[in-house]
Structure formats: C-alpha cells, structure tokens
C-alpha cells in the first residue's frame, strides 16, 4: 500500500503545516490511500481529467518503500494477457510509460525490449498458437504478438538454448521498467497536475457521513480529511484500511521469492524471458539478471496470520528469503539459459496482495468508495487501470467492458476458505493460460438443489462467479468426444425435449412504490405489463450497452419486477440501479435474489406435453401465449412459469421457484418427461441453439464497448419514452453510420476436422480476407451448427468487406475459410 519518497513527494509547506499543526479538516473531491503504482496512477489520471482537488496519502516515509510491494517489483511490463478485453488496459500502460519520463523528468528506465514466453512442450505451443490467432484489437494496438520458431528465438535471445524450445510467444514494444522510478514519476505527474501528497499519513478511522454524502478519514496525528470519493489503493495494507470502515476484502497476502543473479560474465542484451511451465521470469538488469518465479502449490505461503492480526508496519521487510522454494524453477532456468549456471545468488523476498482469480479489485465497493488493489501485475496494468478508474469516477460509468475486475464480484458467496485455496492455486499456476477449469475451493455454497444429481448424471461443470454451471453431459458413454456429446444433446432437445438448470443466472428484484418509475428510467426499453416478459437493455449515459436482460413483471400483491442478468454482472447492475434510484430519490428496494430464486428451463417441441402432465393450468397457445408469465403449480411445487423462446429458438418454459424445492421440481419434471424422451442438457448446447437463430448475448456480442444500433438491437430502445438513462446519446447513435457490422458467418472445413471441437471458433479469432494479411474482423462467439454440419459464428466485420468476400480464420493449426450467412439457420421466434 501506501509507498512514497519523501524527497520526491514533499507536500506544499502551507498544507503540511496546516494539517500537522492545527489538526484541521481538509475537504477534497478524491482522496487516494496508497501511493504505490496503483494509487499514484489513479491520482495522476484524475488530474489529467482536470480534477485538481486530489489528495494522495502515503503511510510510509518514501515512495516505493521496501516495506511495500513496488520496491520489490521485477518491473516486467507485458501487453500479453489471456483475457482479450484486458489488452487495451495493458497497451495504455505501455503508451503512458513510453512518454512519462519526458513529461515528468523522472528517469523510469523503460526499456521496450519485448517479452519472450517459451514453449517447451506441445501443449504450450498449442496455447501460444491459439493466442496469436486471437491477438487483435484496434485501439491501443501498440504491441504485436507473433509466434517464433526455435531459430528465431536464437536470433532474438541468444542466451536461450533454442534446442530445448519448440517455439515462443514474442510481444514487441513491452519490456522492463524501474517500478520504483515509475511510482515516483506518477506521483510527480500527479503533483504537476495539482494533486497534493502527504507522506507519513496513517488512517485511524474511516466513516461515511450519510447526511453530507462524503467519507471522513481520521489520521493518527489528529488530521481530518473529508472526501467525496475515497480510493483504497492500499496494496498489502488494503484490507486493514477496509476494516476501518467495517469492510472486508476478498484478498490474501502471499509471499514471493526472487533473486538478483550475478552471472560469470556480463549478460547480452535480451528480451524479458518467461517460461510458462516452470513459471519463472528473468530479465537483464545492468550486469545482473533479476530472477523470480511462482512457487508450486505446496510451497506457496499465504499470510493468513496477517489477515487476522493486520499487516505489520515492516511489511515486506519482515519476510525471510528462502530461495529453495524456487529450486526447481531455477534448475529449469539454468537448462534453458545456460549462462545462469553458477551465478551468484542474492536471494530476496517480498509480499503482495492478490485475489482468488488473479485479477485486481477495481471499481465501486460502496457509496463512492472505490477499490484499486489486489494486483498480481501492478506494473503492467497500473497505468491503464489508473486511467480506467479515474474515468469511471469522473464520468460516473465504466469506460470499457472489464467485468473481470469488479470489486464486488465475490460478495454474497466468497469465504476465506475459498479465497485462500483458490489464491494458492492461481498463484502457483500464474503463467498457465491453458488450464482454466480450476478446481481449488470448489464447489462453493453457490450450487443448485440438483448439483449432486447432475454430477451423478455425468455433468461437467464450468465456474461462473461462484456457481457450478452444467456445461454438458456424457451420459456414461465411454471415450465420447466433446463435440459429439453436444450434438447428441442438441438433437435430443430440438427433436424431443430437455431440461437445463439455470439457477446460476443473476436475478435482481425491483419492488416498491416507485418500482415502475425506476424501471422506466433505468431501462431504455418498454417495460412489460403485469404478467408479461420482455427483453430489455440498460444503457450508460454515453449510450453504451451496460447490460441486456430479460424482465418479467409478475406478482399478485404488488408491482414487482425480476431482472435476469448474468452472474458476472449482477453486482454492477445492482450498483447501477441503486444509484439511479438514489439520484431520483425513489421509494424502491433493489436486491439480488439469486441465492434463493432458482430456475429450471424446459425446452423443446415436447415441453408443452410435459408441462401439461404436471399442471391443471391451461398451457395452450391461447391460455399461455409467448412472452407471458403464469403462477402455476407443477406437481408438488409452486412456480412462476415464464414462456419465452428468445434465447433458445425452441418452445421453452422457464420455471422460477424456491431454491429449496429444486430437487422436488426436477424429479417431477424428469418423471413426467420420461415418456417424451427428456434429457439433461447444458450451457454448451444452449449456445448452439442461440447461435443458430442469431441471438446475441452479453459478454460476447453485446458489451460496454458497443451500442444497440451498432449491434442490431436498436429496436429495444424506445424513444417514445421521454426520459431514460442514455437517451440523448442513443438518439445520436441511431442516426449514425458505423464502420463495422455484426454478421453471422459459416465455415467450410477440411475433411477430417468437422467433428473436432478444437477447430470450432470460440471467440476473438482474427478474420482476414483470403490472400491478404490485413485484419478485417474478429469473431465474438461460435459453435458447431448441426443443421449445416459446420461451425457458425458471430463476428465483427469491417463494412469495407463485401458480403460475398472469401474470409479466412486461423483456428489452432488450421486455416478455415468462411462466408457470411445472410439469415440465421432458423428464424427467431417472435
């Protein structure tokens, strides 16, 4: 946390004297707690938005103090990242660092040497090949990534024994930096922009004044600071700071071992080198190498004693170096880089904070209480995240789609057992991009009432914001490949019927006297009448898609709404709706009900017959039309039944019920459906269904970085409404022509690879015109299409590309040819 250099961050004499001598109260627009890379970057970027009323508080007596994390950072700056949406953040960091020295006069020693990530086995090489096929974004595209042959590795990094590698991932223009100097430069830049900095400032109490709408920070010397926006950028002390206001963060403090290696001869200039398998990194630093790694699971040390008792003032200085934890990584490094053999080892150690998934906590955590902490890659992402958060604070909305870093994503379900177990696994596998189905800490309490039954029936699960989501079912068929499994599920459901557990969906309830008013203001779409269900969209004030959702309006006693959202987005949607209600002073209650409101969906042409066997209610087309809801009883369970085929393209009923009764409802449905050939199916088969009728989903086609008219869902925006959030911006977008379009494309596959799922696009693959190298588009999502017997995908394509152009997409080690699909395989059901 709070690192600072007394020589560099000297505050103005007047402010320093006033605060120290009179114990006065200072009021600012934003107060940042912590002047490490994260905190100083937020302060710097706030001043770039012409916010001069910024105060940066540092508990230590110097920038990047040895007690914190920045002092010990290896200074690796990398624009490579497994999450595509994170790359522009990293690209901004590199752009900023390349000009920061000229702006501030502080030598940050940024060396754009590039980074080489070694592939020493076929699994890693396939991972890198897949990455290169997806490495594309238009804005901030300052770093290109290519796949190197062993011979090219020898040319770029002669220190590496190229005979031991199969290839490497090379990212240009990123490289290395002095993390300490970077912090100093960001602080200097913030001060030049008008920010004030105080070192030796230790908070004693933090509380929120509801009446005045600001935070009050009491420092140990008696100083009082009031601020409209409080930013916790405390690093390893972030949780201690949070506790002062009654909060607790989903972070752990982990020990990290590294060393300065002095080889027998001065090392040649070389890019930074990372080995994804033995998880070491090494970079040239003057006449030495800076070497570090991520210890294996059994050697990873998490300081839960510090979580319970608080992080000591000495912080990283109190950690004992133990280079033996990196013994295997160092041995492997000497094999790959022979010049390291026999080097003098100056072992060192530090601690840093991290979250269970390795992404930082960024964004609102409470009323104008913002987080920017928990970084595993603070130097790489610090510059970009600082801008991202500063823009959010100033504009009141996130500037880009980055739900991975939602500061509240662990609320309601995470516990210390999960935080420690998952963090330990994430840390030890930090460079393992291939293995995403991580098992540590699973399952959490977020399981449906039929999780055990589905597991017994052969379900494989993915993990989404704490929930176990059934992906597919192997039905005990030995050695059945993944794609044939999905095809079988799809054919059974679309010819007969199937049941899918959708309890993992995010669900937000809006009720109260002003429920309809809030919905009308926050949603750009027409609000469904009582007993109806409809699609809707929430916009930002700039007209971006905050979130598409299904809305159903059903209650016997009062007007209440249930908003169906995605689990990764529910905390952000909740924050947005509550803020809108507070802005208009509405009498309304907005709460997440995902934990107790479960749902199963009955899908397929035989689903009405199954439903009829369980209820006396009229479920005919006349009695239960499309896009309507009914309170009915199905066997032993009362449900709110919603009939909507929007996401499946099939006759579908979603059954909302009390989570405690899921097992009873499931058993009743399966029993009634047995004679109709009912089967379980998962999220993967659902994805096949929605793509074949051209249904776009959030996180793929629909994101904050798009708008409804660009995406082809402009019909969801109702300009007959006089007021809704984003109306003016949406009106401008409705008149605009865009330089890209969303299109469905199909692939002509080579013989022998049709039924191999590794040649089915999953998203972010780059599109080119056949015979040209220019990138003209990118896939958002894909699946195998059973009707066409070939893959199908949604993709953004430049409007300069003709509809009949022959397109190419590299997937794995194959090049697939694609053409636009004029209409979906089956028409959407209205």
């Amino acid at each position: 946390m709070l690192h600072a250099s007394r020589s560099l961050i000297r505050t103005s004499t007047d402010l320093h004297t006033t605060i120290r001598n009179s114990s006065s109260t200072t009021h600012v627009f934003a107060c940042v707690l912590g002047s490490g890379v994260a905190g100083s970057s937020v302060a710097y970027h706030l001043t770039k938005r012409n916010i001069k009323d910024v105060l940066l508080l540092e508990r230590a007596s110097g920038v990047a103090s040895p007690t914190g994390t920045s002092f010990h950072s290896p200074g690796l700056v990398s624009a490579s990242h497994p999450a595509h949406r994170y790359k522009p953040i990293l690209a901004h960091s590199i752009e900023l660092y390349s000009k920061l020295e000229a702006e501030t006069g502080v030598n940050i020693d940024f060396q754009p040497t590039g980074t080489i990530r070694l592939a020493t086995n076929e699994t890693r090489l396939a991972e890198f090949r897949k990455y290169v096929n997806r490495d594309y974004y238009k804005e901030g595209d300052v770093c290109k990534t290519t796949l190197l042959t062993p011979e090219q590795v020898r040319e770029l990094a002669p220190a590496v024994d190229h005979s031991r590698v199969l290839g490497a991932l090379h990212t240009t223009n990123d490289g290395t930096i002095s993390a300490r100097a970077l912090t100093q430069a960001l602080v200097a830049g913030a001060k030049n922009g008008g920010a004030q900095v105080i070192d030796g400032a230790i908070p004693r109490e933090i509380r929120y004044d509801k009446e005045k709408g600001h935070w009050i920070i009491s420092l140990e010397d008696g100083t009082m600071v009031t601020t409209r926006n409080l930013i916790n950028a405390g690093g390893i002390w972030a949780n201690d700071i949070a506790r002062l206001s009654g909060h607790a963060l989903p972070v752990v403090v982990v020990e990290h071992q590294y060393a300065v290696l002095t080889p027998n001869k001065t090392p040649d200039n070389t890019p930074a080198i990372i080995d994804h398998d033995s998880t070491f990194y090494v970079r040239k630093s003057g006449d030495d190498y800076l070497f570090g790694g991520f210890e294996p699971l059994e050697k990873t040390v998490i300081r839960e004693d510090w979580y319970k008792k608080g992080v000591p003032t000495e912080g990283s200085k109190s950690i004992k170096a133990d280079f033996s934890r990196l013994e295997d990584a160092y041995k492997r490094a000497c094999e790959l880089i022979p010049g390291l053999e026999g080097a003098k080892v100056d072992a060192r150690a530090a601690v840093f904070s991290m979250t269970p998934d390795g992404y930082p906590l960024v964004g609102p955590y409470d009323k104008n209480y913002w987080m920017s902490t928990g970084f595993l890659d603070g130097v790489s992402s610090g510059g970009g995240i600082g801008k991202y958060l500063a823009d959010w604070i100033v504009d009141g909305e996130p500037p880009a789609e980055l739900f991975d870093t939602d500061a509240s994503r662990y609320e309601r379900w995470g516990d210390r057992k999960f935080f420690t177990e998952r963090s330990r696994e994430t840390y030890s596998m930090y460079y393992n991009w291939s293995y995403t189905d991580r098992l540590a800490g699973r399952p959490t309490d977020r399981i449906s009432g039929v999780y055990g039954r589905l597991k017994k029936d052969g379900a494989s699960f993915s993990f989404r914001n704490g929930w176990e989501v059934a992906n597919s079912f192997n039905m005990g068929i030995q050695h059945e490949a993944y794609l044939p499994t999905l095809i079988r599920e799809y054919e059974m459901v679309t010819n007969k019927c199937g049941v899918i557990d959708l309890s993992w969906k995010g669900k937000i309830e809006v009720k109260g006297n002003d429920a309809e008013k809030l919905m009308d203001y926050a949603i750009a779409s027409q609000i469904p009448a009582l007993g109806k269900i409809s699609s809707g969209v929430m916009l930002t004030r700039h007209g971006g898609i905050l979130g598409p959702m299904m809305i159903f309006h059903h209650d016997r006693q009062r007007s209440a709404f249930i908003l169906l959202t995605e689990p990764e987005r529910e905390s952000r949607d909740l924050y947005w709706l509550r803020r809108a209600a507070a802005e208009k002073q509405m009498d309304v209650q907005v709460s997440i009900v995902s934990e107790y409101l479960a749902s199963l969906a009955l899908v397929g042409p035989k689903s009405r017959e199954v439903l009829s066997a369980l209820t006396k209610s009229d479920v005919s087309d006349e009695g239960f039309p499309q896009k309507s809801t009914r309170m009915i009883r199905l066997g032993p369970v009362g449900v709110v039944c919603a009939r909507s085929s929007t996401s499946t393209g099939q006759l579908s009923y979603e059954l909302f019920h009390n989570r405690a009764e899921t097992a009873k409802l499931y058993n009743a449905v399966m029993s009634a459906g047995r004679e109709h050939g009912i089967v379980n199916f998962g999220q993967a088969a659902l994805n096949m269904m929605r793509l074949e009728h051209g249904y776009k989903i959030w996180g793929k086609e629909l994101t904050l970085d798009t708008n409804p008219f660009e995406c082809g869902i402009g019909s969801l925006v109702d300009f007959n409404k006089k007021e809704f959030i984003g109306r003016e911006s949406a009106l401008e977008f409705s008149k605009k022509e865009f330089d890209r379009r969303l299109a469905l494309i199909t692939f002509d596959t080579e013989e022998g690879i049709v039924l191999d799922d590794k040649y089915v696009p999953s998203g972010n693959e780059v599109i080119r015109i056949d015979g040209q190298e220019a990138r003209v588009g990118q896939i958002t999502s894909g699946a195998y299409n059973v009707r066409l017997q070939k893959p199908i995908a949604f993709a953004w394509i430049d409007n300069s590309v003709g509809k009949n152009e022959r397109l190419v997409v590299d997937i794995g080690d194959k090049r697939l040819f694609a053409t636009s699909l004029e209409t979906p395989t089956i028409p959407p059901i209205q």
Side-chain angles (χ1 to χ4, degrees):
M1 161 192 173
L2 311 162
H3 327 285
S5 162
R6 192 174 292 273
S7 62
L8 189 87
I9 315 183
R10 197 150 307 174
T11 62
S12 68
T13 304
D14 290 342
L15 177 65
H16 197 279
T17 303
T18 299
I19 289 180
R20 297 298 184 220
N21 294 343
S22 64
S23 298
S24 66
T25 299
T26 299
H27 185 78
V28 292
F29 172 81
C31 179
V32 183
L33 297 174
S35 67
V37 172
S40 57
S41 180
V42 174
Y44 170 86
H45 283 97
L46 281 171
T47 64
K48 289 298 180 182
R49 291 298 307 272
N50 204 31
I51 304 295
K52 302 182 183 299
D53 197 12
V54 178
L55 181 62
L56 186 60
L57 299 181
E58 167 55 47
R59 67 173 293 144
S61 59
V63 168
S65 162
T67 62
T69 301
S70 295
F71 178 92
H72 302 273
S73 169
L76 297 177
V77 183
S78 177
S80 299
H81 198 280
H84 187 270
R85 58 191 159 269
Y86 211 73
K87 294 179 191 176
I89 294 291
L90 303 174
H92 177 78
S93 292
I94 291 167
E95 288 180 310
L96 173 65
Y97 301 164
S98 65
K99 63 186 180 183
L100 195 59
E101 183 173 329
E103 177 188 334
T104 64
V106 179
N107 179 15
I108 60 176
D109 194 27
F110 178 52
Q111 303 290 331
T113 59
T115 305
I116 289 180
R117 297 170 183 267
L118 304 177
T120 57
N121 57 56
E122 290 293 343
T123 298
R124 202 64 58 213
L125 188 62
E127 173 187 287
F128 289 170
R129 186 180 292 116
K130 183 177 181 180
Y131 183 93
V132 169
N133 292 343
R134 297 175 167 189
D135 187 43
Y136 175 49
Y137 50 91
K138 285 191 172 181
E139 291 188 28
D141 194 3
V142 298
C143 295
K144 305 292 184 183
T145 303
T146 55
L147 191 63
L148 303 180
T149 64
E151 291 72 25
Q152 290 171 320
V153 171
R154 179 177 58 184
E155 293 175 11
L156 280 172
V160 175
D161 181 355
H162 72 286
S163 68
R164 293 179 176 268
V165 301
L166 301 180
L169 198 66
H170 179 221
T171 306
T172 60
N173 289 334
D174 61 10
T176 63
I177 200 170
S178 166
R180 280 171 266 182
L182 171 61
T183 306
Q184 294 169 352
L186 289 168
V187 170
K191 290 181 67 178
N192 292 341
Q196 300 174 96
V197 185
I198 303 173
D199 57 350
I202 301 177
R204 182 183 60 197
E205 179 186 4
I206 298 175
R207 60 187 175 87
Y208 183 70
D209 188 324
K210 292 183 180 179
E211 193 174 309
K212 296 182 179 178
H214 61 220
W215 290 91
I216 301 171
I217 306 151
S218 301
L219 302 181
E220 284 194 350
D221 66 354
T223 299
M224 193 85 72
V225 176
T226 66
T227 181
R228 172 66 178 167
N229 295 283
L230 176 64
I231 298 103
N232 184 343
I236 60 175
W237 286 277
N239 193 59
D240 292 349
I241 292 173
R243 279 179 170 160
L244 296 176
S245 54
H247 298 91
L249 302 185
V251 295
V252 302
V253 175
V254 61
E255 292 188 7
H256 184 70
Q257 302 294 324
Y258 70 104
V260 174
L261 304 180
T262 304
N264 295 323
K265 67 174 184 176
T266 302
D268 296 328
N269 289 331
T270 184
I273 298 169
I274 294 172
D275 179 47
H276 277 219
D277 285 296
S278 54
T279 67
F280 74 76
Y281 59 83
V282 62
R283 56 159 288 199
K284 184 175 180 293
S285 178
D287 293 337
D288 301 318
Y289 282 113
L290 189 62
F291 173 88
F294 294 86
E295 299 96 301
L297 195 68
E298 66 277 6
K299 294 183 179 181
T300 299
V301 177
I302 291 176
R303 299 303 301 264
E304 276 298 274
D305 56 330
W306 287 10
Y307 171 78
K308 295 173 183 177
K309 300 177 183 178
V311 178
T313 303
E314 297 81 9
S316 287
K317 288 179 67 176
S318 64
I319 301 300
K320 182 180 178 181
D322 183 2
F323 196 67
S324 66
R325 295 187 203 167
L326 296 179
E327 182 178 1
D328 292 340
Y330 179 57
K331 181 180 179 181
R332 181 59 174 159
C334 290
E335 293 173 356
L336 293 170
I337 309 171
L340 296 178
E341 188 74 49
K344 177 185 175 183
V345 177
D346 178 9
R348 302 181 184 184
V351 290
F352 53 79
S353 67
M354 64 173 287
T355 65
D357 57 14
Y359 288 95
L361 303 177
V362 182
Y365 197 68
D366 201 341
K367 305 175 189 69
N368 295 321
Y369 189 137
W370 306 82
M371 290 291 167
S372 187
T373 194
F375 290 85
L376 265 175
D377 62 345
V379 171
S380 288
S381 61
I385 286 291
K387 183 180 187 304
Y388 170 82
L389 185 57
D391 287 345
W392 192 344
I393 293 170
V394 175
D395 296 333
E397 59 188 50
E401 189 62 80
L402 201 63
F403 60 85
D404 316 74
T405 64
D406 188 336
S408 300
R409 63 189 181 272
Y410 295 106
E411 282 191 12
R412 294 173 299 280
W413 63 271
D415 57 22
R416 289 309 297 179
K417 181 175 182 292
F418 175 82
F419 297 156
T420 54
E421 289 184 7
R422 178 55 70 90
S423 295
R424 193 184 308 277
E425 180 186 57
T426 298
Y427 176 86
S428 66
M429 303 178 71
Y430 182 59
Y431 289 132
N432 192 332
W433 294 350
S434 297
Y435 181 58
T436 56
D437 187 29
R438 300 186 175 179
L439 302 178
R442 293 172 56 184
T444 70
D445 289 339
R446 277 194 154 185
I447 55 174
S448 80
V450 290
Y451 167 72
R453 171 68 183 273
L454 299 183
K455 188 175 182 180
K456 183 179 179 182
D457 287 348
S460 63
F461 295 91
S462 57
F463 189 73
R464 294 187 62 179
N465 202 38
W467 289 101
E468 295 294 331
V469 180
N471 197 53
S472 63
F473 293 80
N474 64 25
M475 294 183 65
I477 301 174
Q478 288 189 347
H479 310 302
E480 183 178 39
Y482 180 62
L483 193 52
T485 295
L486 300 189
I487 293 172
R488 173 176 45 77
E489 283 184 27
Y490 169 89
E491 290 179 332
M492 290 295 291
V493 175
T494 56
N495 288 298
K496 295 182 179 181
C497 62
V499 63
I500 183 171
D501 178 16
L502 296 177
S503 299
W504 50 269
K505 283 279 189 179
K507 305 170 193 76
I508 298 176
E509 183 181 51
V510 179
K511 64 183 180 180
N513 294 332
D514 293 331
E516 290 191 45
K517 289 182 180 179
L518 174 60
M519 294 294 293
D520 214 37
Y521 175 61
I523 308 293
S525 314
Q526 190 63 244
I527 305 306
L530 191 64
K532 296 293 183 180
I533 186 169
S534 68
S535 299
V537 62
M538 279 198 305
L539 304 180
T540 67
R541 285 173 172 77
H542 288 112
I545 298 175
L546 187 75
M549 55 186 54
M550 293 300 294
I551 306 166
F552 73 83
H553 188 178
H554 186 94
D555 200 291
R556 289 182 176 179
Q557 283 77 38
R558 62 190 183 279
S559 183
F561 299 86
I562 297 292
L563 281 62
L564 304 182
T565 181
E566 300 298 323
E568 298 87 353
R569 210 183 70 220
E570 61 182 4
S571 293
R572 188 177 75 185
D573 289 351
L574 179 72
Y575 171 81
W576 186 262
L577 288 165
R578 284 179 172 174
R579 198 185 71 163
E583 175 191 338
K584 293 293 186 178
Q585 297 182 325
M586 293 180 181
D587 178 13
V588 65
Q589 295 83 52
V590 184
S591 54
I592 291 177
V593 295
S594 309
E595 309 307 323
Y596 68 84
L597 184 61
S599 70
L600 300 174
L602 188 58
V603 180
K606 299 289 186 180
S607 57
R608 179 183 283 119
E609 296 173 47
V610 176
L611 206 63
S612 297
L614 291 168
T615 184
K616 296 179 180 179
S617 300
D618 182 2
V619 295
S620 66
D621 277 332
E622 296 76 19
F624 197 171
Q626 175 76 346
K627 296 186 178 179
S628 61
T629 66
R630 296 288 185 273
M631 181 81 77
I632 62 177
R633 192 161 194 86
L634 295 182
V637 180
V639 306
V640 175
C641 183
R643 181 183 170 190
S644 175
S645 304
T646 306
S647 61
T648 63
Q650 305 290 323
L651 179 64
S652 303
Y653 301 91
E654 190 163 358
L655 315 173
F656 296 91
H657 59 280
N658 189 308
R659 183 180 174 187
E661 297 188 300
T662 300
K664 285 193 292 184
L665 178 62
Y666 176 86
N667 290 335
V669 169
M670 293 300 283
S671 178
R674 192 169 294 118
E675 64 178 283
H676 301 289
I678 195 169
V679 295
N680 288 305
F681 73 102
Q683 183 178 221
L686 181 64
N687 187 54
M688 297 170 78
M689 293 178 204
R690 68 96 183 172
L691 271 166
E692 72 177 356
H693 73 282
Y695 181 69
K696 300 151 188 169
I697 61 173
W698 173 81
K700 300 293 186 180
E701 292 75 44
L702 312 177
T703 73
L704 266 172
D705 306 316
T706 61
N707 68 77
F709 302 94
E710 185 181 38
C711 292
I713 61 168
S715 61
L716 292 180
V717 180
D718 183 10
F719 289 116
N720 291 320
K721 297 168 62 173
K722 293 183 179 179
E723 183 185 23
F724 58 81
I725 296 174
R727 189 182 191 281
E728 291 184 7
S729 297
L731 190 58
E732 290 299 314
F733 280 130
S734 71
K735 302 172 184 176
K736 186 178 177 182
E737 292 186 3
F738 302 97
D739 59 4
R740 63 176 186 169
R741 65 185 185 273
L742 262 179
L744 275 173
I745 60 175
T746 59
F747 298 83
D748 297 320
T749 57
E750 298 175 11
E751 186 178 352
I753 68 170
V754 173
L755 290 181
D756 193 331
D757 62 281
K758 70 181 179 180
Y759 299 121
V760 175
S762 57
N764 294 323
E765 292 87 355
V766 173
I767 299 172
R768 296 177 173 87
I769 295 175
D770 188 18
Q772 301 180 24
E773 278 304 304
R775 300 164 175 182
V776 297
Q778 190 160 34
I779 289 172
T780 58
S781 60
Y784 184 77
N785 187 281
V786 178
R787 296 169 190 262
L788 297 176
Q789 297 187 20
K790 59 178 67 174
I792 186 174
F794 262 124
W796 285 109
I797 298 177
D798 292 351
N799 277 338
S800 59
V801 179
K803 290 185 178 179
N804 297 321
E805 291 276 13
R806 183 174 167 88
L807 307 173
V808 295
V809 179
D810 292 327
I811 300 178
D813 59 352
K814 300 289 184 182
R815 172 158 287 189
L816 275 62
F817 296 95
T819 54
S820 293
L821 188 65
E822 292 300 317
T823 58
T825 310
I826 60 172
I829 295 179
Q830 301 300 320

